[in-house]
């Protein structure tokens, strides 16, 4: 793996001339110096963490739940090992994920599945729902040092974005990030007045290391992080942030057990909840609305209600692809929930 990172950094150094010029031009027009950019980069390198999103109550292939697997193994496994995903369910040799991973990483893995990356997102916004809430109601916050094991893409890797990086070289990622802020005043799901505003807000979050008491409603915009080595809960994870709908349920004791066992801090965030009256029928299709209507309790849906519904045997007979509809229902919660 060391050789892989060395070769990738060489490629990034060789292929980033255009992006360096673009960054310099944006800095000039934004009345920011190269030193201000480098200071921001040092802050990110030193302090930024990766968020690993998941739903604790989804079922593993052996019938246990994700939270149980985490307690038992003490490790955050990849999708080939768990056969669970909040994105593409194609983690098998010859599947779509296998094809794009080998294309993205120059056939690094071949037919090996154990060493495939674990996916997260770099948190630069500090919102309580995390850096990429579409992938789970709860998330681990890593220690900053894990970034040395990561590659990064600006956007989801299944799209094979050309902007890639490592923590030693984020030039291509910065170029796209700065371009979006400079031209559209938005990036990572947020509005910024200008690049200086982005620097100020992000630096403040990184230095305070405190989550903001706000939700992003962000489905699609993130700097994806691919972790290429083992994620050890004891060594690599500082904090678990959990949706409050799990408080007072049968999962709460297991959440505390996980945190106590691996010395992980626990934070209950704001979470997402939605009333059926506010649930859209024109965002993830009518069938998703019908699914939501079927599983709602007292005309309400939250993360716990959604996860519990997947254990109902009648659900699979009534809805052909209940897992996909659950995923879409969660998307609606993130986008429209409160």
């Amino acid at each position: 793996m060391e050789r892989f990172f060395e070769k990738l950094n060489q490629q990034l150094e060789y292929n980033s001339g255009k992006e360096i010029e673009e960054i310099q031009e944006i800095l000039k027009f934004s009345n920011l110096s190269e030193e201000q950019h480098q200071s921001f980069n040092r802050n990110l390198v030193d302090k930024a963490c990766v968020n690993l999103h998941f739903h604790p109550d989804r079922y593993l292939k052996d019938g246990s739940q994700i939270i149980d697997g985490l307690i038992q193994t003490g490790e955050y496994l990849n999708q080939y090992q768990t056969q669970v995903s909040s994105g593409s369910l194609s983690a098998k040799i010859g599947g779509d994920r296998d094809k794009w991973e080998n294309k993205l990483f120059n056939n690094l893995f071949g037919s090996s599945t154990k060493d495939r990356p674990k996916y997260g997102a770099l948190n630069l916004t500090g919102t309580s729902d995390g850096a990429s809430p579409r992938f789970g109601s709860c998330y681990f916050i890593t220690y900053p040092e894990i970034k040395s094991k990561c590659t990064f893409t600006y956007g989801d890797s299944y799209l094979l974005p050309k902007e890639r990086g490592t923590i030693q070289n984020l030039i291509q990622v910065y170029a796209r990030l700065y371009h979006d802020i400079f031209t559209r005043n938005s990036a990572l799901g947020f509005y910024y007045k200008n690049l200086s505003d982005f620097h100020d807000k992000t630096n403040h979050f990184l230095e305070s290391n405190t989550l903001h008491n706000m939700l992003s409603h962000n489905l699609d915009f993130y700097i994806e992080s691919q972790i290429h080595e083992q994620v050890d809960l004891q060594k690599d994870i500082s904090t678990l942030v959990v949706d409050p709908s799990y408080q007072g349920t049968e999962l709460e004791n297991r959440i505390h057990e996980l945190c106590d066992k691996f010395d992980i801090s626990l934070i209950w965030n704001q979470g997402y909840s939605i009333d059926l009256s506010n649930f859209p029928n024109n965002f993830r299709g009518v069938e998703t609305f019908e699914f939501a209507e079927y599983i709602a309790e007292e005309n309400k849906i939250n993360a716990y209600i959604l996860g519990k519904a997947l254990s109902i045997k009648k659900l699979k007979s009534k809805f052909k692809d209940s897992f996909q509809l659950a995923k879409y229902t969660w998307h609606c919660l993130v986008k429209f929930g409160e």
Side-chain angles (χ1 to χ4, degrees):
M1 192 56 67
E2 185 177 338
R3 176 60 183 152
F4 163 73
F5 275 98
E6 182 181 337
K7 187 174 181 181
L8 178 57
N9 281 317
Q10 288 173 353
Q11 291 173 344
L12 290 167
E13 188 76 27
Y14 182 77
N15 293 320
S16 298
K18 178 183 175 183
E19 287 79 7
I20 291 173
E21 291 180 2
E22 185 171 6
I23 290 172
Q24 290 173 341
E25 184 176 7
I26 291 173
L27 289 173
K28 178 182 176 181
F29 286 149
S30 301
N31 194 25
L32 292 170
S33 67
E34 175 67 21
E35 174 53 35
Q36 286 172 299
H37 166 67
Q38 293 300 335
S39 176
F40 172 76
N41 178 63
R42 288 192 294 272
N43 212 14
L44 185 152
V45 170
D46 290 344
K47 297 182 174 67
C49 300
V50 172
N51 292 169
L52 297 166
H53 284 262
F54 65 100
H55 294 290
D57 47 2
R58 297 301 186 265
Y59 288 91
L60 299 168
K61 54 188 175 182
D62 64 2
S64 63
Q65 292 179 303
I66 284 179
I67 186 73
D68 301 313
L70 291 167
I71 293 170
Q72 182 179 353
T73 66
E75 186 178 352
Y76 189 93
L77 301 174
N78 69 47
Q79 295 169 15
Y80 294 82
Q81 294 169 303
T82 63
Q83 289 298 295
V84 175
S85 171
S86 295
S88 167
L89 283 172
S90 60
K92 58 184 177 181
I93 299 302
D96 289 342
R97 181 174 295 279
D98 175 50
K99 292 175 183 176
W100 87 60
E101 282 184 348
N102 275 312
K103 187 177 290 187
L104 187 67
F105 301 114
N106 299 320
N107 293 308
L108 173 67
F109 307 107
S111 60
S112 170
T113 58
K114 180 182 177 182
D115 297 324
R116 296 297 178 110
K118 279 69 66 177
Y119 291 87
L122 192 64
N123 194 340
L124 301 183
T125 58
T127 53
S128 68
D129 54 345
S132 52
R134 76 177 290 148
F135 296 116
S137 59
C138 306
Y139 60 96
F140 287 121
I141 301 176
T142 68
Y143 288 110
E145 290 77 13
I146 206 168
K147 298 192 299 298
S148 64
K149 305 177 183 181
C150 293
T151 52
F152 302 93
T153 56
Y154 193 80
D156 203 296
S157 56
Y158 91 92
L159 297 170
L160 297 176
K162 64 186 180 107
E163 297 86 3
R164 306 173 188 179
T166 68
I167 200 58
Q168 288 79 32
N169 190 322
L170 286 168
I171 290 171
Q172 294 181 5
V173 173
Y174 279 136
R176 181 65 186 279
L177 175 66
Y178 284 9
H179 178 270
D180 282 351
I181 295 168
F182 185 70
T183 59
R184 299 191 292 112
N185 295 103
S186 66
L188 308 179
F190 273 88
Y191 170 84
Y192 297 99
K193 290 184 288 187
N194 48 44
L195 187 57
S196 180
D197 184 40
F198 167 75
H199 277 179
D200 290 345
K201 287 177 179 175
T202 308
N203 281 328
H204 180 266
F205 161 61
L206 293 175
E207 289 163 3
S208 67
N209 193 29
T210 303
L211 296 178
H212 302 312
N213 191 29
M214 61 186 294
L215 299 172
S216 70
H217 301 280
N218 176 24
L219 280 176
D220 300 310
F221 305 104
Y222 42 87
I223 298 172
E224 186 182 275
S225 311
Q226 305 95 28
I227 304 175
H228 292 275
E229 295 183 25
Q230 179 189 31
V231 179
D232 184 310
L233 301 188
Q234 186 86 50
K235 297 177 182 177
D236 297 319
I237 302 300
S238 71
T239 306
L240 173 60
V241 183
V242 182
D243 190 288
S245 64
Y246 294 109
Q247 288 181 308
T249 72
E250 70 281 3
L251 270 81
E252 182 175 2
N253 286 339
R254 281 135 76 196
I255 289 166
H256 283 290
E257 180 184 353
L258 173 71
C259 292
D260 291 343
K261 183 174 182 179
F262 300 108
D263 194 23
I264 297 171
S265 299
L266 176 61
I267 294 176
W268 298 94
N269 69 359
Q270 289 176 288
Y272 283 110
S273 178
I274 191 169
D275 292 327
L276 274 181
S277 60
N278 296 321
F279 198 96
N281 62 8
N282 57 359
F283 180 67
R284 288 295 189 259
V286 173
E287 192 176 11
T288 301
F289 175 79
E290 293 170 347
F291 178 88
E293 196 173 35
Y294 184 79
I295 68 168
E297 296 183 7
E298 298 180 352
N299 290 317
K300 182 176 74 174
I301 301 171
N302 57 34
Y304 174 70
I305 291 171
L306 178 57
K308 187 172 65 170
L310 291 175
S311 65
I312 301 173
K313 291 183 179 179
K314 285 196 303 182
L315 198 69
K316 291 184 178 179
S317 61
K318 186 171 180 64
F319 297 96
K320 185 177 179 181
D321 195 349
S322 56
F323 183 87
Q324 185 74 2
L325 291 171
K327 184 171 77 173
Y328 287 160
T329 300
W330 176 250
H331 292 176
C332 293
L333 267 164
V334 173
K335 188 75 172 178
F336 302 100
E338 298 185 4

